[in-house]
Amino acid sequence: MVFRNIVVVGAGGKLGAPLFQTLLQSNEPKFTVTALIRSSSSYTLPEGVDQNRAKLAKVDFDDQPGLVNVLRGQDAIIFAFGAGPDLIPTSKTLIDAAIEAGVERVIPSEFGNDEIPLTEPLFGNKQVVQKILQEAASQGKITYTLIRNGPWFDLGFTLALGFDIQARTATLYDNGDRKFHTTTVPSICRAITSLLADSSQSVNKVVHIHDFFITQLDVLKVTEEITGSKFAITKVDTNEMAKSAMEGLSRGEFIPQNIFGAIRASVWGEKSAARWDENDDSAALGLGDADLAKEISKIAVLSK
């Protein structure tokens, strides 16, 4: 079954904006895409979009009848907003409205790693949203798809992966030799497009995708070749980083050092949340043609 009428919540964000454009650029199938925004938002549709296929709906999220009215006739709704403190109430409000409106599929705000205890203080709210969807799905009210893609390769190249091209520095976690899955934002958008074009393959499932299954050392080698420079290396012990982050988070210290410490340790530690079977869902969703050198070259150009 093809889902043609799509709602994107968070269409102005780092994932939502390119996703909105990718869906509109699809010709087979052709989607009608609605950006659902709060009535207080200043977001406007991108210039030059096909007004017959791109829609804008402003509504007060406390107005349940208004949300239901907007969602009626839609096939799927995608949550492309972050996992902040409002994730649970916002997601529940939208899920309830989607069920009442007869929406078939919810793709919630996942787009990250698998769940492990280390990151539960940060992303336990995602698990609550999952349980809400699982309960609704068990009653036949709606279906869902969860997408796991590992760290974002392009947008997270410096902050997550640890490579600063401008400064010619790299942070390696332990020895930098543990493999992890990682995906670019355009590929995440392509995978979502494929899921919507054939919705039957992902009913109430967790879908895993990737562009690359690599190590930090792989990335370092290619990055140094492209830049023609040797990078200064700093090594970080993931066990010590995880311990420090968890102690801080347990004290309620949700500061960048603890947040990113827990996330990085969860990716590059011994029990990685971004390491699964390499034969995941990527090929079935049209991924597998990414070139590591080309992607790093794009990042290098933007870093100048």
Side-chain angles (χ1 to χ4, degrees):
M1 179 179 179
V2 178
F3 290 150
R4 297 184 183 276
N5 299 309
I6 314 300
V7 174
V8 177
V9 187
K14 291 181 178 180
L15 175 62
L19 174 61
F20 195 83
Q21 292 282 15
T22 300
L23 293 173
L24 289 175
Q25 290 163 4
S26 172
N27 289 315
E28 189 54 48
K30 283 191 174 182
F31 300 104
T32 297
V33 191
T34 299
L36 174 58
I37 62 173
R38 296 180 185 272
S39 54
S40 59
S41 173
S42 60
Y43 172 85
T44 58
L45 290 176
E47 292 185 6
V49 296
D50 184 345
Q51 298 293 327
N52 292 318
R53 295 177 59 187
K55 310 293 182 182
L56 181 63
K58 280 192 172 188
V59 63
D60 185 341
F61 281 21
D62 292 327
D63 177 8
Q64 190 77 356
L67 280 172
V68 172
N69 184 56
V70 168
L71 295 177
R72 204 174 299 280
Q74 301 293 336
D75 298 317
I77 181 170
I78 302 166
F79 301 168
F81 47 85
D86 295 330
L87 178 70
I88 296 172
T90 300
S91 297
K92 188 177 187 309
T93 294
L94 293 169
I95 292 167
D96 289 345
I99 291 171
E100 186 174 342
V103 176
E104 290 279 344
R105 180 70 54 86
V106 174
I107 300 179
S109 184
E110 285 278 330
F111 311 112
N113 306 320
D114 279 339
E115 299 162 356
I116 62 173
L118 179 58
T119 54
E120 187 171 347
L122 300 175
F123 302 124
N125 51 2
K126 288 187 177 183
Q127 296 176 37
V128 173
V129 174
Q130 291 171 30
K131 290 178 181 177
I132 293 171
L133 286 169
Q134 288 165 352
E135 177 65 22
S138 71
Q139 298 173 23
K141 295 180 178 179
I142 205 162
T143 63
Y144 65 86
T145 303
L146 311 180
I147 299 176
R148 306 274 171 79
N149 43 252
W152 296 4
F153 184 81
D154 41 3
L155 296 188
F157 194 75
T158 299
L159 189 60
L161 273 66
F163 295 89
D164 189 328
I165 291 181
Q166 282 190 334
R168 299 297 197 260
T169 61
T171 301
L172 299 184
Y173 300 103
D174 294 330
N175 293 315
D177 57 356
R178 292 197 181 104
K179 299 188 80 170
F180 64 100
H181 288 93
T182 179
T183 316
T184 63
V185 169
S187 289
I188 298 172
C189 296
R190 284 170 54 198
I192 294 171
T193 301
S194 296
L195 287 170
L196 297 173
D198 182 7
S199 62
S200 61
Q201 63 183 310
S202 58
V203 179
N204 302 334
K205 289 184 177 179
V206 178
V207 172
H208 289 89
I209 60 172
H210 72 280
D211 279 320
F212 309 114
F213 187 41
I214 51 177
T215 69
Q216 283 188 292
L217 291 177
D218 295 330
V219 178
L220 177 63
K221 179 177 181 294
V222 176
T223 304
E224 288 185 334
E225 289 173 353
I226 287 171
T227 60
S229 303
K230 293 296 292 182
F231 278 44
I233 306 299
T234 300
K235 290 189 176 183
V236 175
D237 185 302
T238 56
N239 289 328
E240 290 299 320
M241 180 169 58
K243 179 182 177 182
S244 176
M246 289 300 291
E247 288 175 351
L249 293 174
S250 68
R251 294 192 296 267
E253 297 170 359
F254 286 81
I255 59 176
Q257 179 180 345
N258 295 330
I259 292 171
F260 289 109
I263 292 172
R264 290 163 181 154
S266 76
V267 173
W268 288 287
E270 293 181 14
K271 296 181 179 180
S272 174
R275 191 183 307 127
W276 47 76
D277 187 347
E278 190 173 3
N279 297 314
D280 56 14
D281 302 287
S282 301
L285 296 174
L287 305 186
D289 58 353
D291 182 280
L292 183 61
K294 287 182 179 179
E295 293 301 328
I296 294 176
S297 294
K298 293 177 187 176
I299 296 169
V301 170
L302 294 174
S303 298
K304 291 181 179 179

